[in-house]
């Protein structure tokens, strides 16, 4: 078997089929849901991308809240990319917030973390004012999983559960790939921003999700991170979802 180049090893689209149609389908589903169930839109920070959509179930609160951070390798997509997920949470009587952040190269990952922390705070306060918050689950996909980790360890808003999907937990291999072109991370910066080398003991219960057709490097990262979580005595579950790839995995959660 030919060894993958670093670029291919960290290229989810190389291992996915029809990823563009998947993203289009998800965007269309989110647009339809917003028409049928208009969310509350909340801005935070000074950048237009730092905003969220909050979908609230009918009836009286308080409600459980799922807050989700989109992926896109810190340089693509926006918060509306995950709006389609809200449908399943609303059906279970849960509120859902899709939070956004400014992208590279205009914004650094440190800026994005700050904006995502502000987004979680804004979602919490908006739902609290609308009827109350019962509990909080924080999720993130791909780059959003890395951001969600840092939001969780900030402790600014206590969360009850962390769901990290197809994430990158060690950013140092990305320094030598195409991903780093807009990020311009040094090895030291990449290490400092990597959950794998961060504080783990304060994390809540975690679910680490990997898609069957995620790149092998993502599988290895997920397995490495779950081992570290368990070594730190964090209650953690590894979920490997069959029949899906890096882009449609959210439809299989």
């Amino acid at each position: 078997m030919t060894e993958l180049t670093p670029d291919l090893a960290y290229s989810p689209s190389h291992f996915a089929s029809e990823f563009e149609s998947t993203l289009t389908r998800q965007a269309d589903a989110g647009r339809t849901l917003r028409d049928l169930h208009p969310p509350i839109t909340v801005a935070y920070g000074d950048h237009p991308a730092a905003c969220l959509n909050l979908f609230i179930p009918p009836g009286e609160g308080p409600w459980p809240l799922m807050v989700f951070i989109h992926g896109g390798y810190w340089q693509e997509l926006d918060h509306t990319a995950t709006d389609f997920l809200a449908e399943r949470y609303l059906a279970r009587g849960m509120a859902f917030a899709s939070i956004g952040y400014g992208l590279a190269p205009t914004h650094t990952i440190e800026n994005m973390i700050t904006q995502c922390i502000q987004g979680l705070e804004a979602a919490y306060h908006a739902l609290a004012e609308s009827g109350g918050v019962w509990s909080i689950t924080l999720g993130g996909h791909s780059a959003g999983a890395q951001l969600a980790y840092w939001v969780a360890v900030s402790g600014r808003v206590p969360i009850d559960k962390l769901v990290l999907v197809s994430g990158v937990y060690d950013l140092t291999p990305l320094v030598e790939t195409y991903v780093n072109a807009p990020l311009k991370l040094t090895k030291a910066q990449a290490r400092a921003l990597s959950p794998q080398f961060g504080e783990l003991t304060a994390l809540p219960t975690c679910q680490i999700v990997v898609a069957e057709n995620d790149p092998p490097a993502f599988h290895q990262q997920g397995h490495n991170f779950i081992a570290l979580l368990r070594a730190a005595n964090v209650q953690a579950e590894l979920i490997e979802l069959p029949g899906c790839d890096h882009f449609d995995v959210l439809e299989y959660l």
Side-chain angles (χ1 to χ4, degrees):
M1 183 176 179
T2 304
E3 185 176 352
L4 293 171
T5 65
D7 277 354
L8 286 182
Y10 283 94
S11 175
S13 60
H14 180 72
F15 296 87
S17 61
E18 302 180 349
F19 71 94
E20 291 177 333
S21 64
T22 295
L23 293 175
T24 298
R25 179 175 67 251
Q26 293 171 353
D28 289 344
R31 193 175 301 110
T32 299
L33 180 63
R34 291 192 298 273
D35 290 340
L36 294 174
H37 194 112
I40 296 173
T41 299
V42 181
Y44 43 90
D46 298 325
H47 193 272
C51 63
L52 64 86
N53 284 337
L54 175 62
F55 297 85
I56 302 176
E60 297 183 358
W63 301 277
L65 171 64
M66 164 59 91
V67 177
F68 208 87
I69 305 175
H70 71 85
Y73 262 154
W74 305 278
Q75 56 197 280
E76 296 183 78
L77 304 178
D78 62 29
H79 68 292
T80 63
T82 59
D83 280 351
F84 76 97
L85 290 172
E87 183 175 16
R88 71 191 63 176
Y89 292 101
L90 292 172
R92 290 164 174 76
M94 295 179 66
F96 179 90
S98 58
I99 66 175
Y101 50 93
L103 304 176
T106 306
H107 290 259
T108 65
I109 293 180
E110 290 89 345
N111 293 154
M112 300 175 202
I113 293 168
T114 297
Q115 291 171 348
C116 288
I117 292 171
Q118 293 170 340
L120 175 61
E121 293 175 328
Y124 172 81
H125 290 300
L127 189 60
E129 292 172 359
S130 298
V133 183
W134 181 262
S135 63
I136 299 177
T137 300
L138 176 62
H141 173 233
S142 194
Q146 181 262 354
L147 296 172
Y149 161 83
W150 288 108
V151 174
V153 298
S154 75
R156 292 270 287 272
V157 176
I159 63 173
D160 300 282
K161 185 177 180 180
L162 188 61
V163 181
L164 306 179
V165 184
S166 297
V168 178
Y169 309 105
D170 178 4
L171 276 61
T172 58
L174 299 179
V175 172
E176 304 301 328
T177 72
Y178 72 99
V179 179
N180 198 35
L183 300 173
K184 296 180 172 55
L185 296 174
T186 65
K187 282 281 190 180
Q189 290 171 326
R191 182 182 175 90
L193 290 166
S194 297
Q196 180 165 316
F197 305 111
E199 172 61 40
L200 302 177
T201 56
L203 290 176
T205 297
C206 295
Q207 285 185 331
I208 307 300
V209 181
V210 182
E212 178 181 0
N213 296 316
D214 261 325
F218 281 70
H219 281 268
Q220 189 61 56
Q221 290 236 4
H223 282 268
N224 291 347
F225 194 57
I226 198 83
L228 289 170
L229 290 172
R230 290 170 176 168
N233 295 316
V234 176
Q235 185 176 346
E237 177 185 13
L238 177 65
I239 300 174
E240 298 183 275
L241 292 178
C244 55
D245 60 43
H246 187 83
F247 299 91
D248 63 4
V249 62
L250 296 178
E251 300 170 25
Y252 289 76
L253 288 181

